[in-house]
Amino acid sequence: MDSATQMAADGLNAFGMIGTVLWTMLRIGAMIMAMPLVGSRAVPARVRVMLSGALAIALSPMLPPVPAWTGFDAATVLSIARELAIGISIGFLLRMVFEAGAMAGELVSQGTGLAFAQMSDPMRGGTSGVIGQWFYLLFGLLFFAANGHLALISLLMDSYKAVPIGASLPDIDAFLSAAPTFLLQVFRGALTLALPLTVAMLAINLAFGVLARAAPALNPIQLGLPVALLLGLFLLAVLAGEMGPPVQRLFDAAFQAADGVTH
């Protein structure tokens, strides 16, 4: 084989590798754009693209072969839309778990009197309460501490094996029927996290209400807000170590629901 022929063969192999990486980046990039933390506005778009490319380069040699490029025909457009839909679905289900943590934080804020303390939240793209942001960051720390990022990569590999690039989607009736159950688990998890603090704050507010009725000269209403705030923060610090198991159950439910997208 002469040098010109070898150079042409190497060029074709290089273009084939680039095409494989680009096909793989579709699902991974869509998932990263939709998932929490990494997909937030706090992370620059270039960093997300670089992360998608790095994961695609690492995973593409272990994946089934991608379809041959035939131009932007109807089949190719449908394949691209299918890859984007799978990635967005996986990332969105994981984001729902983090939103459950933010919801628990908002419920706690109502009881502790910190509902008025609103700050810019770059993770969610808006403004939210400080307790909600604290819960959101706690979920992120627990996610990485429990090797959730490795489980997410494993889920991606399983999704490529179940639904290779260019293959048609399986019957999603099972996933659609399981979606309401997952949403109920998310809301139940948020209430489970917020319920102990909410009940404690309700008892404190009732106690100060009774005291205000019995001894109005003491002006207990003026003391109620700082006492409720201090006790709420103290209980939040005490209960922070007990949030691991319920949060882990929410992550397990999210991964199970995401696995149902492709199975």
Side-chain angles (χ1 to χ4, degrees), residues 66-135:
V66 301
W69 177 256
T70 58
F72 281 103
D73 53 3
T76 303
V77 173
L78 289 176
S79 298
I80 293 174
R82 189 182 303 116
E83 293 298 308
L84 294 178
I86 294 174
I88 291 174
S89 299
I90 296 174
F92 179 75
L93 290 172
L94 188 59
R95 181 181 287 271
M96 289 296 295
V97 177
F98 280 76
E99 292 299 325
M103 178 182 175
E106 296 297 334
L107 293 175
V108 172
S109 299
Q110 296 291 333
T112 57
L114 283 175
F116 62 87
Q118 300 287 323
M119 294 180 60
S120 177
D121 189 355
M123 293 294 179
R124 301 172 66 194
T127 58
S128 60
V130 292
I131 303 296
Q133 294 186 34
W134 184 85
F135 270 88

Side-chain angles (χ1 to χ4, degrees), residues 32-33 37-51:
I32 289 178
M33 295 296 289
L37 297 179
V38 181
S40 63
R41 297 181 181 178
V43 180
R46 293 182 179 179
V47 175
R48 284 176 277 178
V49 172
M50 292 174 61
L51 180 59

Side-chain angles (χ1 to χ4, degrees), residues 12-234:
L12 291 176
N13 291 332
F15 278 112
M17 293 175 59
I18 294 173
T20 302
V21 171
L22 290 178
W23 272 111
T24 310
M25 281 183 65
L26 289 173
R27 188 180 303 185
I28 298 175
M31 183 199 70
I32 289 178
M33 295 296 289
M35 69 180 294
L37 297 179
V38 181
S40 63
R41 297 181 181 178
V43 180
R46 293 182 179 179
V47 175
R48 284 176 277 178
V49 172
M50 292 174 61
L51 180 59
S52 303
L55 287 175
I57 292 173
L59 298 180
S60 57
M62 299 178 286
L63 300 179
V66 301
W69 177 256
T70 58
F72 281 103
D73 53 3
T76 303
V77 173
L78 289 176
S79 298
I80 293 174
R82 189 182 303 116
E83 293 298 308
L84 294 178
I86 294 174
I88 291 174
S89 299
I90 296 174
F92 179 75
L93 290 172
L94 188 59
R95 181 181 287 271
M96 289 296 295
V97 177
F98 280 76
E99 292 299 325
M103 178 182 175
E106 296 297 334
L107 293 175
V108 172
S109 299
Q110 296 291 333
T112 57
L114 283 175
F116 62 87
Q118 300 287 323
M119 294 180 60
S120 177
D121 189 355
M123 293 294 179
R124 301 172 66 194
T127 58
S128 60
V130 292
I131 303 296
Q133 294 186 34
W134 184 85
F135 270 88
Y136 202 88
L137 293 176
L138 176 66
F139 271 54
L141 292 175
L142 292 175
F143 177 77
F144 288 107
N147 292 326
H149 54 295
L150 300 180
L152 188 60
I153 294 175
S154 177
L155 178 65
L156 269 175
M157 290 294 298
D158 293 339
S159 71
Y160 279 112
K161 294 177 182 178
V163 183
I165 299 174
S168 59
L169 284 175
D171 188 11
I172 60 173
D173 290 339
F175 170 72
L176 294 178
S177 61
T181 304
F182 173 70
L183 291 178
L184 288 176
Q185 289 178 331
V186 169
F187 285 115
R188 184 167 61 244
L191 292 175
T192 301
L193 292 174
L195 189 60
L197 283 168
T198 304
V199 172
M201 292 300 100
L202 178 61
I204 293 172
N205 291 329
L206 288 175
F208 275 100
V210 172
L211 185 60
R213 187 72 174 178
L218 296 177
N219 197 8
I221 300 299
Q222 188 175 359
L223 297 175
L225 181 60
V227 171
L229 176 59
L230 291 176
L231 287 178
L233 294 177
F234 173 74

